[in-house]
Every structure is written in structure tokens, then in C-alpha cells.
Amino acid sequence: IIPLAIVMVSCSLLIFVNYFTIKIQSSSRAYVNGESHYSKAEKDATRHLTTYLFTKDSQDWIAFKREIQVPLGDRNARLGLLNNGAIIDIKKGFVAGRNDKEDLDAMVWLFVNFKKIPFFEKAIVKWGEADALIEKLIILGKEINRKTISNELDLAEKKVVLGQINSIAAQLSISQSEFSK
């Protein structure tokens, strides 16, 4: 009976370990996919803002505002998770971030249970850094829109602003890459 008990306990432990290994991998994959949506939307928003800067086409301004909502949604989810916000609001943030609805519970679970683990804690820090840069991009975008509407931007100023957009975008790329690592 002892060998049978050992086999049963071993099998139970193996099932337990496999379950959580798969759960952690699945949750991690959800975050990597989420970062992909975040990054793509940020790149699209930056492209639309740059185009708007030079063409004054209001459709590009509208597209900028639409695309920037993706990283803002994820930011809201991150802040909700850090501040013990309502799960429904956290999930709304993740949905705005174009994350798959089937992944939301796993994303919340991983964050709550691993936020103090060094590799995940570093990812959260990088996520926060990227969010701060997104905020700079939004502020710059609003300034571009204000000056575009009032026709205050000449070509030289547009080139300076373009440099600012490119600088923010380059910093964002670094933060996004670090998050994925």
C-alpha cells in the first residue's frame, strides 16, 4: 500500500505542478500579446500624429485619439491592479487595451500573484515608464492640435516637434522591448 500511496501523491503533485505551469505560461502569453497590441497602437498613434502635424487632416487627429486609447486602457488596468481597484474596472481597462476577453482573469491572476516577483516587478516598472511616455505623447499631441487649429506652426517648428515625437517614440520602443523581456 505504501508504493501505491507514493504513486498517488506523486501523480497528484505532478498534476498540480503542471496545472500551475500551464496557467503561468498562458497568463504570460496574454501579457506578451497585450504588449503587442499596446505597442502597435502606440506606433499607429505616433504615425497618425506625425501625419496630422504635416497635413492638418482631422482624420489623422481622430485616428491618433482612437489608437492612443489602447495604451490608456492598459494603463488604467495597471493602476487598478496596483491600487486594488474594482475587478470590473480593471477588466474594462484590459478590454480597452484590446486584450482578449478570455485572457482577462489570467492577466489579473498573474499580476496579483506575481507583482512582487523580480522579473514581473521589473515588467511593471517598465510598463509604468511607458505609460508616462504615453502621457507625454498625449500632451504633445494636444499642443500640436491646438497650434494646428490656430495655424501657429511653421515648417521649422514642425521639424522641432517631429524631433520630440521621434524622441518619445524611441524611448517607448526601449520600454516596450524591456517589458517583453
Side-chain angles (χ1 to χ4, degrees):
I1 192 129
I2 291 176
L4 181 60
I6 292 172
V7 169
M8 294 298 287
V9 168
S10 297
C11 287
S12 297
L13 287 173
L14 187 58
I15 290 168
F16 178 80
V17 168
N18 283 339
Y19 171 78
F20 280 102
T21 299
I22 290 169
K23 187 170 183 158
I24 292 167
Q25 285 180 326
S26 178
S27 301
S28 297
R29 176 211 39 84
Y31 272 100
V32 171
N33 286 346
E35 191 283 326
S36 177
H37 293 298
Y38 183 110
S39 179
K40 182 181 182 322
E42 175 270 315
K43 301 288 184 247
D44 287 346
T46 300
R47 179 177 46 84
H48 288 297
L49 184 60
T50 301
T51 303
Y52 177 65
L53 175 65
F54 287 98
T55 66
K56 300 181 182 181
D57 184 349
S58 63
Q59 292 304 308
D60 282 306
W61 175 245
I62 291 167
F64 167 76
K65 293 192 304 183
R66 180 186 63 242
E67 292 301 318
I68 209 69
Q69 291 305 307
V70 173
L72 288 177
D74 284 329
R75 178 195 67 186
N76 292 340
R78 179 183 60 83
L79 292 174
L81 285 162
L82 287 173
N83 298 313
N84 297 320
I87 295 296
I88 192 162
D89 293 332
I90 293 166
K91 288 181 178 182
K92 283 180 185 176
F94 279 137
V95 168
R98 296 184 184 151
N99 293 283
D100 191 325
K101 289 180 182 180
E102 292 180 11
D103 290 336
L104 303 182
D105 289 329
M107 294 175 82
V108 170
W109 177 84
L110 187 71
F111 195 104
V112 167
N113 290 292
F114 286 79
K115 67 184 172 189
K116 296 295 182 190
I117 305 297
F119 76 90
F120 198 76
E121 190 174 37
K122 182 179 177 185
I124 295 169
V125 168
K126 292 300 176 184
W127 187 357
E129 290 172 5
D131 285 345
L133 292 166
I134 290 292
E135 190 59 36
K136 285 184 178 182
L137 188 63
I138 291 169
I139 291 167
L140 183 57
K142 288 178 180 177
E143 184 68 12
I144 290 168
N145 185 49
R146 186 188 66 73
K147 288 184 175 184
T148 297
I149 290 171
S150 62
N151 211 18
E152 296 178 31
L153 288 170
D154 62 20
L155 185 58
E157 289 174 285
K158 287 179 181 181
K159 288 180 179 180
V160 170
V161 172
L162 178 61
Q164 293 171 327
I165 292 170
N166 288 338
S167 175
I168 292 169
Q171 292 173 48
L172 274 163
S173 291
I174 293 167
S175 289
Q176 292 161 351
S177 178
E178 291 293 318
F179 176 89
S180 290
K181 287 180 187 176

